[in-house]
Amino acid sequence: MQTHQYDVVIVGAGGAGMRAALESSGSVRTAVISKLYPTRSHTGAAQGGMCAALANVEEDNWEWHTFDTVKGGDYLVDQDAAEIMAKEAIDAVLDLERMGLPFNRTPEGRIDQRRFGGHTRNHGEAAVRRSCYAADRTGHMILQTLYQQCVKQDVEFFNEFYVLDLIVDHDLAAGEVPDGETVTATGVVAYDLATGEIHVFQAKAIIFATGGAGKIFKTTSNAHTLTGDGMALALRRGVPLEDMEFFQFHPTGLAGLGILLSEAARGEGGILRNGDGERFMERYAPTIKDLAPRDIVARSMANEVREGRGAGPNKDYVLLDLTHLEPAHIDAKLPDITEFARTYLGIEPYTEPVPVYPTAHYAMGGIPTNVDAEVLRNSTDVVKGLYAAGEVACVSVHGSNRLGTNSLLDINVFGKRAGRTAAAYAATASYTDLPEDAAAAVVAQLDEMRNRPDGERVAEVRKALQETMDANAQVFRTGESLTAALDDIRALQKRYKNVSVQDKGRMFNTDLLEALELGFLLDLAEVVVIGSLNRRESRGGHFREDYPERDDANYMLHTMAYRRPAHLGADEVVEADGVGVVEGYFDHVEDFDGYKIVLGSKPVTQTRYEPMERKY
Amino acid sequence: MTATLEAPAGDEQTEVGAIPSFEVTLKIRRYSPESEHGDEAYWDEYTVLAHGTDRVLDALHKIKWEHDGSLTFRRSCAHGICGSDAVRINGRNRLACKTLLKDVNPDKPITVEPIKGLPVIKDLVVDMEPFFASYREIMPFLITTGNEPSKERLQSAEQRERFDDTTKCILCAACTSSCPVFWTDGQYFGPAAIVNAHRFIFDSRDEGATQRLEILNDKEGVWRCRTTFNCTEACPRGIEVTKAIQEVKRAMITRAF
């Protein structure tokens, strides 16, 4: 076992993690721990762009961007945070340009901008050109550029190190800590994949930037490695997760595969058609049609298929039509995604429409933070020394549905804020002693998993989880389907206790890693489904067929899910979160083997926008 | 060890332009120093049922998930953008996630080996450190002097186009590990590092070209390239790698960039 000491430890080397590292490594000793080489992170898969009201090609301002973000999130957005993001977007884009990011350019040589779903001029009048982009590989260029800057600044990386525990001085999952009492994060325990060795990192400040959890679903645009590790580690230490029921299904995944085709395809003029060739979005969103926000488009597509108007032999997808666009235009603006269609489906987008269907894409929820990226352990108290940014976090700038491009923006704005706040804190804080046996739990867990008698395969349990989530907790949900999903997850948690790995070695044991990742996925799926069951309304990405209307009277609140010991009574926990709760709402408690998930709520911050009906 | 494996039939999938399921045999180069094989590399064969649009990565997953959990390889995004899974398939460097089984003659066993020229850690996993070390050496970041502009730097669409091709690099090492010069001399910078140097040398905003050219004017630099075009053929992103290397050579002579 090795031990290390750093002022700031960043877990995750995607966009948010590296952006944070660039802020903190200049002033305090910083280490970035990542389970992948930094350039493998899934930020690199983002395609369409990053919105900022630069107004380079037409009139725009950050207030319109704020409004679109709030409305796009179906008013569950914390408006102060959205305002910060929209304002700081402009500098975030300029920062990247100065770092060398090769944005596409206007004829005047300035950063070019294009249309994107839900981004409008003057509060919904028409689509606006706001997305700054580098062909359809904007995420790739952001990831590369941030890594290049990390090389320049000589940032210290621990690559292919897998963080398996968060060390805190009060384990909130073991019992309630009174509100107001100080809880401090003191380090992380990591597993070096190459050697199997355990490393303990003591830190004054820890930033979680581990990304999303798309692998709880079968059909997803997410990487195999997006297993919600950071969210699950926080949850297991009693840090709540916020709004996990809100998962975004991106409308245009390659049918049957889930591989993402950017919304930029529609921003550049692509049209969605059903099996009859009809441009069906005209019926669902008459003003901005194919450029409506993702939740609306995904639902409309699923509805077309459900009502028998799908395309293909089984009528189980719709078509993304680019055939009216000039091939040269497609090549210049959408080269990667058209190649995906050719490579994976053998479809030539110049002449044939591309089969598409919604794919699980983005977790709006995550570890709750304030606008300085400090992690909250309830509605008000922060965990000292713990920060989160990017998809793992919930600020909440995305509310119940994220607008396209706002994730690349989120990682840059809040990644930077996280790095800055963590560095400032670490500059004055002192180290907190770690327990003697800081790594004991992880060592025991790894040994136990490695030495289990032969049992079921990890992949079987994972597949069953992904299938029940796709069948029961996807675009359309009901109380019945969610109950079925929860029953399945309970049964799978039991089966998980008996899965075994075949690879018993220490070196590069990815078999063992997948087993651990499955544990994270199961824990997160639980929270997603419980939150969905409790939210008996439809809002943004969460659509309950049995409760199809938005219910502001009872549900204009963030969900907070706490993992607490089984013996604790419901009234002993999360009392402080009852602000604004109507009796009978946000009081769901679900018992599991050895722990319970207790729901609470957190008020939504409203500044200038009153909730309105959401029409496009 | 040879295992013949049956996959459950009738696995449903939404298939577009469906091609019938077929059996495919993968012959995989393995190396597992902790196992009874010790330091000797060996071959394993697996036969699995594949679906029409399955990729080599799907077959590797099927083997790992259903038959032999110890088979080890890197992967992440599974659609050709993260650069994790460059391997040698039937003797050619490719991304496992971008190579459809039906396109590599599945009638015969498909051989899968680790990419060459980098130390093998386990099975298909190689040590990428030497590769990234070369990358870091060419100063892969924008170098400028003077004050930062208060807005963006201007760049015409034509200037932007000049280095567009080399910005596509995903650092998968398919090019570098296909290069015969790199195989015999691991000190050679290799195509990927030169591609990334090109990306900055021809960026109108950059002022570090002279320094980079100096670095690449080394005996292990661009002059070692023998224009075999393996790198161009190997690049899963379609970058004209050899051309980029030639442009760097030319820039070194003419000092025009």
Side-chain angles (χ1 to χ4, degrees):
Chain A
M1 192 175 79
Q2 294 190 37
T3 55
H4 310 263
Q5 209 180 45
Y6 287 90
D7 291 317
V8 175
V9 162
I10 298 168
V11 184
M18 290 203 283
R19 191 65 191 82
L22 291 177
E23 283 309 297
S24 72
S25 66
S27 57
V28 295
R29 238 170 82 80
T30 300
V32 184
I33 308 176
S34 170
K35 76 170 175 179
L36 302 170
Y37 271 89
T39 56
R40 312 300 181 218
S41 304
H42 211 55
T43 296
Q47 299 164 354
M50 173 165 158
C51 274
L54 300 182
N56 275 3
V57 290
E58 60 179 311
E59 186 189 0
D60 198 6
N61 69 61
W62 61 259
E63 190 272 319
W64 296 350
H65 188 181
T66 310
F67 171 80
D68 289 337
T69 301
V70 171
K71 181 180 173 188
D74 221 348
Y75 296 92
L76 202 71
V77 171
D78 287 322
Q79 297 183 8
D80 56 338
E83 185 168 320
I84 285 172
M85 184 171 78
K87 263 190 206 168
E88 295 182 8
I90 295 162
D91 275 339
V93 166
L94 295 177
D95 276 356
L96 287 169
E97 198 284 330
R98 291 183 203 122
M99 289 178 195
L101 197 139
F103 284 108
N104 279 46
R105 300 288 171 157
T106 66
E108 297 77 39
R110 307 187 61 192
I111 296 169
D112 196 15
Q113 300 187 273
R114 66 177 164 203
R115 297 189 182 101
F116 233 83
H119 290 277
T120 69
R121 51 171 284 111
N122 197 18
H123 314 98
E125 270 178 15
V128 72
R129 294 176 196 272
R130 185 178 290 149
S131 169
C132 311
Y133 65 100
D136 55 354
R137 53 175 187 280
T138 314
H140 164 76
M141 294 319 329
I142 289 178
L143 190 69
Q144 295 287 328
T145 302
L146 292 176
Y147 183 61
Q148 290 157 5
Q149 293 297 308
C150 286
V151 169
K152 185 179 178 189
Q153 281 197 26
D154 209 10
V155 171
E156 192 171 354
F157 286 98
F158 290 83
N159 295 327
E160 295 183 328
F161 273 55
Y162 199 85
V163 170
L164 292 175
D165 203 0
L166 165 69
I167 311 169
V168 283
D169 64 350
H170 292 76
D171 182 1
L172 296 162
E176 199 56 30
V177 176
D179 286 346
E181 193 162 311
T182 307
V183 175
T184 309
T186 57
V188 296
V189 181
Y191 173 81
D192 176 3
L193 188 56
T195 63
E197 199 178 2
I198 299 291
H199 292 247
V200 175
F201 290 82
Q202 186 181 23
K204 294 176 185 169
I206 297 148
I207 302 173
F208 269 18
T210 55
K215 280 288 157 181
I216 57 176
F217 294 97
K218 180 176 170 218
T219 306
T220 175
S221 64
N222 282 199
H224 286 284
T225 42
L226 283 173
T227 48
D229 314 340
M231 294 176 189
L233 291 175
L235 178 74
R236 288 176 182 182
R237 285 297 181 197
V239 175
L241 294 181
E242 179 176 348
D243 288 342
M244 290 297 286
E245 62 271 32
F246 297 106
F247 212 97
Q248 178 164 85
F249 299 91
H250 192 292
T252 51
L254 278 185
L257 295 170
I259 295 171
L260 182 68
L261 297 186
S262 172
E263 199 167 307
R266 283 170 283 138
E268 296 290 351
I271 292 169
L272 291 166
R273 299 188 188 279
N274 62 21
D276 307 328
E278 182 204 3
R279 184 180 192 179
F280 58 89
M281 280 312 298
E282 285 179 333
R283 275 188 276 120
Y284 297 93
T287 308
I288 55 176
K289 305 182 181 76
D290 299 278
L291 285 174
R294 291 173 179 174
D295 58 329
I296 295 172
V297 179
R299 218 153 32 235
S300 307
M301 289 167 66
N303 198 52
E304 289 299 298
V305 167
R306 207 160 59 153
E307 294 181 354
R309 293 189 294 277
N314 303 318
K315 296 186 171 235
D316 56 358
Y317 53 77
V318 301
L319 298 165
L320 175 63
D321 186 0
L322 304 176
T323 57
H324 54 291
L325 303 179
E326 284 298 318
H329 183 70
I330 293 177
D331 289 347
K333 301 295 178 72
L334 307 165
D336 281 8
I337 63 166
T338 44
E339 198 199 312
F340 295 154
R342 288 180 196 119
T343 305
Y344 298 116
L345 294 183
I347 296 272
E348 176 45 67
Y350 294 158
T351 53
E352 297 167 88
V354 185
V356 289
Y357 198 73
T359 180
H361 185 55
Y362 188 87
M364 269 72 74
I367 300 173
T369 71
N370 60 24
V371 296
D372 290 317
E374 295 174 294
V375 170
L376 297 167
R377 67 177 180 90
N378 52 39
S379 291
T380 47
D381 297 328
V382 301
V383 179
K384 279 229 168 286
L386 188 60
Y387 306 81
E391 191 173 346
V392 70
C394 182
V395 184
S396 152
V397 283
H398 308 307
S400 60
N401 172 62
R402 174 174 70 73
L403 287 190
T405 78
N406 273 356
S407 57
L408 289 179
L409 187 51
D410 179 2
I411 58 176
N412 278 286
V413 168
F414 292 100
K416 181 176 182 176
R417 281 178 162 252
R420 198 170 55 198
T421 332
Y425 171 76
T428 57
S430 45
Y431 288 103
T432 307
D433 287 340
L434 296 179
E436 282 284 305
D437 55 349
V442 168
V443 172
Q445 181 193 19
L446 289 170
D447 283 347
E448 194 272 333
M449 184 64 86
R450 220 188 248 115
N451 296 315
R452 277 184 195 176
D454 284 353
E456 202 176 355
R457 284 178 188 281
V458 168
E460 284 169 27
V461 175
R462 185 176 53 215
K463 189 169 172 223
L465 170 70
Q466 292 168 340
E467 281 175 355
T468 189
M469 290 299 285
D470 264 26
N472 297 313
Q474 223 223 19
V475 176
F476 293 114
R477 301 165 170 178
T478 65
E480 203 181 335
S481 75
L482 292 164
T483 305
L486 190 56
D487 289 346
D488 285 346
I489 295 167
R490 279 179 195 285
L492 292 169
Q493 286 278 26
K494 290 206 176 72
R495 282 165 65 185
Y496 178 63
K497 293 196 163 66
N498 296 315
V499 298
S500 66
V501 296
Q502 288 186 302
D503 192 339
K504 310 291 185 190
R506 304 226 155 245
M507 290 174 61
F508 231 96
N509 191 337
T510 54
D511 200 19
L512 181 64
L513 215 60
E514 287 191 34
L516 298 168
E517 289 172 332
L518 175 59
F520 297 146
L521 291 174
L522 285 164
D523 285 1
L524 292 176
E526 256 171 36
V527 177
V528 169
V529 171
I530 293 167
S532 305
L533 265 173
N534 179 69
R535 193 172 281 277
R536 296 182 297 279
E537 67 157 351
S538 291
R539 181 188 297 272
H542 170 68
F543 191 82
R544 286 279 301 257
E545 291 186 87
D546 41 357
Y547 298 93
E549 302 299 322
R550 196 172 85 190
D551 176 3
D552 286 349
N554 297 311
Y555 284 110
M556 183 55 94
L557 290 161
H558 298 294
T559 303
M560 300 284 272
Y562 300 81
R563 183 155 150 154
R564 290 293 180 261
H567 62 80
L568 230 60
D571 51 346
E572 290 174 77
V573 296
V574 297
E575 277 174 87
D577 296 336
V579 187
V581 178
V582 179
E583 202 178 337
Y585 298 86
F586 295 102
D587 54 3
H588 195 108
V589 179
E590 198 72 47
D591 290 296
F592 291 90
D593 193 6
Y595 62 93
K596 58 176 66 178
I597 300 291
V598 181
L599 295 193
S601 64
K602 183 159 86 74
V604 175
T605 308
Q606 261 182 37
T607 55
R608 47 175 108 198
Y609 307 108
E610 281 296 319
M612 294 187 305
E613 195 195 345
R614 193 161 159 257
K615 279 196 213 155
Y616 287 94
Chain B
M1 191 176 80
T2 301
T4 304
L5 311 155
E6 298 280 323
D11 209 281
E12 281 168 44
Q13 251 189 318
T14 314
E15 285 177 27
V16 184
I19 296 153
S21 298
F22 53 93
E23 278 207 333
V24 62
T25 299
L26 267 66
K27 190 178 169 205
I28 302 173
R29 180 86 167 163
R30 303 204 54 183
Y31 172 73
S32 181
E34 289 177 301
S35 74
E36 72 273 14
H37 296 275
D39 272 340
E40 292 293 312
Y42 58 102
W43 294 90
D44 264 343
E45 271 188 37
Y46 304 88
T47 301
V48 293
L49 188 72
H51 300 290
T53 54
D54 278 359
R55 299 155 267 168
V56 172
L57 179 63
D58 295 312
L60 291 173
H61 269 147
K62 201 155 204 173
I63 295 165
K64 183 174 183 69
W65 292 344
E66 296 173 14
H67 307 296
D68 184 353
S70 73
L71 179 67
T72 303
F73 49 91
R74 288 192 180 100
R75 89 290 186 254
S76 187
C77 80
H79 64 280
I81 192 72
C82 78
S84 298
D85 64 347
V87 288
R88 216 167 142 77
I89 299 168
N90 285 349
R92 282 184 53 192
N93 281 4
R94 322 182 65 147
L95 296 182
C97 64
K98 250 189 134 171
T99 308
L100 270 59
L101 290 165
K102 69 180 175 64
D103 295 337
V104 283
N105 187 14
D107 297 340
K108 286 198 255 172
I110 297 167
T111 60
V112 184
E113 303 162 78
I115 48 176
K116 285 173 76 173
L118 292 162
V120 179
I121 297 175
K122 184 174 172 182
D123 294 347
L124 303 175
V125 174
V126 299
D127 180 3
M128 295 291 287
E129 254 328 297
F131 172 81
F132 277 104
S134 292
Y135 166 77
R136 286 191 295 263
E137 258 183 81
I138 56 90
M139 308 170 76
F141 40 80
L142 192 76
I143 296 172
T144 57
T145 52
N147 288 333
E148 294 270 292
S150 52
K151 288 203 142 190
E152 71 262 50
R153 292 190 169 79
L154 297 182
Q155 180 168 59
S156 72
E158 295 68 38
Q159 288 170 326
R160 164 69 181 75
E161 182 59 28
R162 181 68 190 86
F163 64 103
D164 183 69
D165 202 33
T166 44
T167 65
K168 294 175 187 164
C169 175
I170 55 175
L171 298 169
C172 68
C175 59
T176 295
S177 64
S178 74
C179 173
V181 178
F182 181 76
W183 295 340
T184 53
D185 175 9
Q187 296 301 306
Y188 171 44
F189 278 91
I194 302 171
V195 158
N196 281 280
H198 179 283
R199 177 250 170 276
F200 288 102
I201 290 168
F202 293 95
D203 185 336
S204 58
R205 301 168 295 174
D206 183 81
E207 298 169 50
T210 312
Q211 288 159 274
R212 284 191 202 90
L213 290 173
E214 204 50 53
I215 294 166
L216 289 172
N217 201 10
D218 185 86
K219 73 176 170 57
E220 303 294 354
V222 286
W223 305 114
R224 302 229 50 185
C225 169
R226 292 289 179 274
T227 55
T228 55
F229 283 88
N230 282 19
C231 50
T232 300
E233 211 177 292
C235 180
R237 302 281 293 154
I239 300 171
E240 293 182 274
V241 181
T242 315
K243 184 178 166 204
I245 297 172
Q246 298 319 302
E247 287 178 352
V248 173
K249 285 181 185 170
R250 198 172 310 131
M252 217 169 269
I253 295 164
T254 62
R255 296 282 151 171
F257 34 80

